[in-house]
Amino acid sequence: MDTYPNQYIPKLILDYMSDELADSDFYKRLASTVKEKDVEEILRNISMDEEKHYKMLKKIYESITGQPANVTDFTPEELSDNIFLNLDKRVMEELNAVENYRSLMFALSEQWIRDYLTEIYTDEQNHAAKLSFLYSKYLK
């Protein structure tokens, strides 16, 4: 981390990498609790997106620091027995992630990094929309 002038940004990226691992794990576990195949598929796809985000952040970190980024630790998020609580909380988490990644994007100038972060925050917006859809589906 010594090669990047703003030490706050690499630390932030490491934190986000850990968050992405936790999110991927959460969606994978949540997918295994639902009976509807279409809902399970949506949740598994979100989980895979979160894994993709982890890999993209890893590349960004390694590029700006010249150091390896091997984040494997995360705190698993507790699943509620109530699907509404799980979905409600995650919608807000996804929307918060959008803001975090947009802010990070404005702090970095390399175009490929900004493109990666745009893809990540766009995915997070899509996740919030899909989770909102699922929430409304379960209300019926």
Side-chain angles (χ1 to χ4, degrees), residues 106-118:
F106 292 123
L108 299 167
S109 60
E110 296 88 349
Q111 188 59 51
W112 73 269
I113 292 175
R114 293 172 68 101
D115 291 346
Y116 269 27
L117 293 169
T118 299

Side-chain angles (χ1 to χ4, degrees), residues 22-37:
D23 292 350
S24 177
D25 173 72
F26 178 84
Y27 290 120
K28 197 177 300 178
R29 287 185 292 117
L30 184 59
S32 70
T33 69
V34 298
K35 293 181 174 126
E36 301 88 350
K37 288 296 178 193

Side-chain angles (χ1 to χ4, degrees), residues 14 26 30 57 62-63 94 100 122 125-126 131 134:
L14 292 174
F26 178 84
L30 184 59
L57 290 167
E62 291 174 352
S63 173
E94 295 292 334
N100 291 339
T122 302
Q125 288 172 321
N126 289 333
L131 294 168
L134 293 180

Side-chain angles (χ1 to χ4, degrees), residues 11 15 17 23 33 42 46 49-50 56 60 63 70 77 80 83 87 96 99 102 109 111 116 120 123 128 134 137 139:
K11 167 76 170 97
D15 289 346
M17 288 172 66
D23 292 350
T33 69
I42 289 170
I46 292 173
D49 279 350
E50 303 295 4
M56 294 169 85
I60 293 169
S63 173
N70 293 314
E77 187 174 334
S80 170
I83 189 74
L87 295 173
N96 287 336
E99 293 306 314
R102 287 187 67 224
S109 60
Q111 188 59 51
Y116 269 27
I120 292 171
D123 285 349
L134 293 180
K137 178 179 174 132
L139 284 176

Side-chain angles (χ1 to χ4, degrees), residues 84-102:
F84 292 108
L85 293 177
N86 289 317
L87 295 173
D88 184 52
K89 180 178 181 187
R90 295 309 308 165
V91 168
M92 292 312 301
E93 294 291 329
E94 295 292 334
L95 292 173
N96 287 336
V98 169
E99 293 306 314
N100 291 339
Y101 287 122
R102 287 187 67 224

